[in-house]
């Protein structure tokens, strides 16, 4: 588990992500076993539950990727009627889940999330 | 499709039970546990599901799904019980309060159990004899439930098969 100082650092990075990419509505950092570590949001999402679900989803992504021998699962994209959710590893114990209600913003969501995941990887 | 779901608290042996009897290499979604409390007991935990299948003597294939144990993953429970024939509930006799665990899971899965059926396997009886089958039976009686209860070791294929056969037997009635 992370220290409170590290969690605050992560939270600052998530805030930065939401500021830089205006279309991103919320982002969370969660451990691979489903514990919420940090979050930032512009609306009121049930992020505690989303965090646990993110870990289930990421593990299925990793499992199917391994089953098909496709190397490392880079990210999982969930494109929906009124939004997009992206799941990606920060390192082998942390996951970033980020989301937008702008259904045309996949590229932006992916690229900014990736950059910030990298930042947080270096930080941890 | 013949599908059976294994549930119960973390560490009760769900993942082990499915791996023990599966005829195919099981699918795991095990990740390393980050809570110190869990790490003391085991290194990894199931976050999505376990899956395997077993072909019975009469050639029926039974699909085996395991749930994550912790309540924060409870959204997986209805997903995994969808269309299932019945439930195998594993309880760790060496856990802090396995009687409370029994009550919790009977309650959490009550709708599903009412529609189908459940068998209960008490595990780690080699490590703790804290409670006997009779203690668990008393709780079942409180809930007006009459379902089979066994002491089992999930690492033993025969023990797991006893549970599966008992469940399939009660579901026939
Ligand atoms: N000694 C002993 N160990 C057990 C027994 N049942 C399970 N275990 C061990 O306890 C751990 C259970 O972990 P796991 O199957 O991952 O539990 P899950 O969280 O329910 O999936 C494994 O290391 C098993 O080998 C038992 O009856 N006796
Ligand atoms: Mg497990």
């Amino acid at each position: 588990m992370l220290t409170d100082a590290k969690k605050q650092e992560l939270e600052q990075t998530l805030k930065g992500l939401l500021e830089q990419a205006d279309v991103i509505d919320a982002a969370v950092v969660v451990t691979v076993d489903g514990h919420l570590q940090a979050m930032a949001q512009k609306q009121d999402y049930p992020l505690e539950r989303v965090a646990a679900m993110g870990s289930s989803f990421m593990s299925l992504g990793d499992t199917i990727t391994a089953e098909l021998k496709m190397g490392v699962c880079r990210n999982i994209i969930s494109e929906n009627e009124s939004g997009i959710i992206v799941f990606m590893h920060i390192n082998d114990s942390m996951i970033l889940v980020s989301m937008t209600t702008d259904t045309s913003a996949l590229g932006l969501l992916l690229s900014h999330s990736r950059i910030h995941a990298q930042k947080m990887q270096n930080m941890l | 499709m013949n599908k059976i779901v294994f549930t119960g608290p973390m560490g009760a042996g769900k993942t082990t039970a499915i791996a023990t009897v599966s005829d195919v290499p099981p699918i795991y979604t095990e990740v390393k546990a980050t809570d110190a409390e869990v790490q003391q007991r085991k290194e990894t935990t199931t976050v999505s599901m376990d899956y395997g299948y077993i072909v019975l003597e009469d050639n029926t294939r039974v699909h085996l799904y395991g749930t994550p144990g912790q309540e924060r993953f409870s959204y997986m429970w209805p997903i995994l019980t969808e269309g299932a024939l019945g439930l195998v509930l594993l309880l760790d006799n060496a856990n802090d309060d396995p009687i409370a665990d029994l009550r919790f899971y009977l309650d959490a899965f009550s709708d599903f159990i009412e529609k189908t059926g459940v068998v209960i396997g008490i595990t780690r009886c080699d490590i703790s004899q804290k409670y006997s089958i009779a203690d668990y039976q008393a709780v079942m009686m409180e809930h007006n439930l009459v379902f089979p209860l066994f002491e089992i070791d999930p690492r033993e294929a025969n023990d797991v098969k006893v549970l599966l056969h008992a469940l399939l037997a009660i579901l026939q009635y």
Side-chain angles (χ1 to χ4, degrees):
Chain A
M1 283 295 218
L2 300 176
T3 60
D4 285 348
K6 274 280 178 247
K7 286 182 184 174
Q8 265 166 22
E9 254 185 274
L10 290 176
E11 204 142 296
Q12 283 311 315
T13 313
L14 293 180
K15 278 191 186 136
L17 169 63
L18 267 58
E19 273 161 28
Q20 273 181 35
D22 200 34
V23 296
I24 301 181
D25 295 295
V28 302
V29 174
V30 57
T31 62
V32 286
D33 61 339
H35 293 290
L36 181 62
Q37 300 296 303
M39 60 178 175
Q41 60 184 332
K42 292 173 186 164
Q43 296 182 33
D44 208 11
Y45 290 105
L47 291 181
E48 190 100 22
R49 283 170 60 73
V50 165
M53 291 173 181
S55 72
S56 297
F57 217 34
M58 197 74 230
S59 78
L60 280 179
D62 292 334
T63 306
I64 194 169
T65 311
E67 188 78 13
L68 298 173
K69 301 193 169 52
M70 289 189 182
V72 174
C73 178
R74 290 244 171 79
N75 40 250
I76 300 174
I77 300 164
S78 164
E79 287 195 80
N80 315 295
E81 196 177 12
S82 42
I84 309 172
I85 315 162
V86 164
F87 307 81
M88 62 180 64
H89 277 287
I90 292 169
N91 59 23
D92 58 2
S93 56
M94 296 286 161
I95 298 161
L96 171 65
V97 182
S98 50
M99 63 202 81
T100 173
T101 51
D102 182 342
T103 53
S104 64
L106 176 60
L108 208 67
L109 178 64
L110 268 176
S111 62
H112 283 271
S113 299
R114 171 65 53 209
I115 292 165
H116 285 77
Q118 192 67 54
K119 259 188 206 166
M120 290 187 281
Q121 184 182 61
N122 298 336
M123 185 182 285
L124 290 171
Chain B
M1 192 177 88
N2 297 314
K3 169 178 169 185
I4 287 176
V5 175
F6 286 67
T7 196
M10 198 217 55
K14 304 174 292 294
T15 299
T16 305
I18 291 174
T20 302
V21 296
S22 181
D23 289 330
V24 285
I27 290 171
Y28 302 110
T29 56
E30 293 285 293
V31 300
K32 60 179 179 195
T34 62
D35 4 14
E37 180 206 348
V38 177
Q39 279 169 345
Q40 283 178 352
R41 301 175 52 201
K42 49 180 208 153
E43 280 174 10
T44 64
T45 187
T46 306
V47 294
S48 180
M49 61 176 190
D50 304 305
Y51 169 77
Y53 69 73
I54 180 172
V55 180
L56 300 177
E57 293 77 11
D58 62 357
N59 269 331
T60 49
R61 184 184 290 192
V62 181
H63 300 269
L64 310 172
Y65 286 82
T67 71
Q70 298 93 324
E71 200 175 351
R72 68 178 179 280
F73 296 115
S74 60
Y75 54 85
M76 286 304 297
W77 302 348
I79 294 174
L80 294 170
T81 50
E82 180 68 39
L85 297 177
L87 191 68
V88 174
L89 172 56
L90 297 184
L91 296 169
D92 173 0
N93 209 31
N95 216 354
D96 295 340
D97 191 350
I99 296 286
D101 293 340
L102 173 60
R103 288 207 170 88
F104 175 81
Y105 287 92
L106 287 179
D107 188 45
F109 286 86
S110 60
D111 290 346
F112 179 68
I113 292 171
E114 204 169 302
K115 280 187 292 179
T116 60
V118 62
V119 295
I120 295 163
I122 312 298
T123 67
R124 289 179 188 262
C125 298
D126 53 321
I127 296 172
S128 165
Q129 286 87 43
K130 195 154 56 173
Y131 295 100
S132 68
I133 290 284
D135 297 320
Y136 293 98
Q137 234 138 18
V139 177
M140 300 287 281
M141 297 300 272
E142 272 172 37
H143 286 75
N144 286 318
L145 295 174
V146 255
F147 287 110
L149 258 150
F150 301 93
E151 283 189 8
I152 70 137
D153 187 330
R155 299 166 299 177
E156 297 293 331
N158 279 335
D159 284 21
V160 181
K161 284 181 188 167
V162 164
L163 290 177
L164 294 177
H165 283 115
L167 181 61
L168 293 170
I170 59 164
L171 293 175
Q172 309 231 306
Y173 297 101

